[in-house]
Amino acid sequence: MTSLRKIKVMVVDDSAIVRQTLTDLLNSDPEIEVVASAADPYIAAEKMRDVIPDVITLDIEMPKMDGLTFLRKLMEQHPTPVVICSSLAAEGSETALKALEYGAIEIITKPKLGTKQFLEESRINICDTVKAASYAKVKKLVHP
């Protein structure tokens, strides 16, 4: 049996509990390895100088720079598959539509309460979503 290369993931979320929970549940999948986590987009950009993830999980509401702004900049400069993981990105919301327009592959809507429990219960779905995103061919975002 050959060992497959693991999908390298960066978790970007301002909540330490969410970062730790997502890291633990993604690392529990033998095909996924969290290679970095960041509390905000500036830290994420800094870490991306050293490690290039295959997939990024990204929160929307963060200090310094929101996730949509980071997503747009990322897709303009270093197109990378992104899974939005946010309580603000409910299906059909303006935020969700903007995220998809900017190039997000998928959106996982976190509840406003009970996030840790929700993430743990959604482990298989989240891991499958990250795996699927790793196969996505993302294009550079170009603004007219």
Side-chain angles (χ1 to χ4, degrees), residues 4-67:
L4 295 171
R5 191 178 75 84
K6 289 188 176 194
I7 298 164
K8 295 184 297 210
V9 179
M10 177 184 285
V11 176
V12 184
D13 197 300
D14 61 326
S15 163
I17 291 170
V18 171
R19 282 197 312 276
Q20 189 59 56
T21 304
L22 272 175
T23 297
D24 291 346
L25 71 85
L26 289 168
N27 280 337
S28 75
D29 188 299
E31 296 174 44
I32 299 172
E33 178 185 9
V34 175
V35 293
S37 67
D40 69 53
Y42 289 100
I43 297 168
E46 187 71 32
K47 289 186 175 190
M48 285 179 72
R49 293 188 180 135
D50 300 322
V51 61
I52 304 296
D54 299 315
V55 178
I56 296 172
T57 66
L58 181 62
D59 190 16
I60 299 288
E61 196 172 36
M62 291 180 286
K64 299 185 188 165
M65 182 192 298
D66 67 272

